Amino acid sequence: MANQLHVEVVAVEEKVWVGEAEMLVARTTEGEIGVLPGHAPLLGLLKEPSQVRVKLAGGDQLTYDVAGGFLSIDANGVTVLAESATPATPESH
């Protein structure tokens, strides 16, 4: 099994999702960033409004609409600290 990235999506009121993922994609004020296991430490300001995509093993993806907050990457994984984070409406394929 490939290395997994520990991800926490946290809103002001609650933990929205916590688990292991292959990759996280978020849009910061500096542009879009993809985070894989072993990424260098980083603190980024999330663009408002935007989406955070969590890519799970097996090809599944979770998408959250986020407003405000930060993206924090450290040796333990990545944490999205948002003012609000709600599951995005599924897109038709």
Side-chain angles (χ1 to χ4, degrees), residues 10-80:
V10 181
V12 172
E13 306 269 329
E14 63 181 336
K15 280 190 177 182
V16 177
W17 188 84
V18 177
E20 304 301 308
E22 290 186 343
M23 181 179 187
L24 178 129
V25 179
R27 185 169 296 281
T28 69
T29 55
E30 301 295 317
E32 191 166 77
I33 182 170
V35 182
L36 295 168
H39 195 286
L42 176 87
L43 182 63
L45 182 62
L46 292 172
K47 185 166 174 66
E48 284 194 73
S50 65
Q51 288 189 331
V52 170
R53 298 186 310 276
V54 181
K55 299 186 180 200
L56 305 174
D60 289 338
Q61 178 173 287
L62 304 173
T63 303
Y64 295 95
D65 292 321
V66 296
F70 296 88
L71 171 74
S72 173
I73 305 167
D74 61 23
N76 298 320
V78 58
T79 303
V80 175

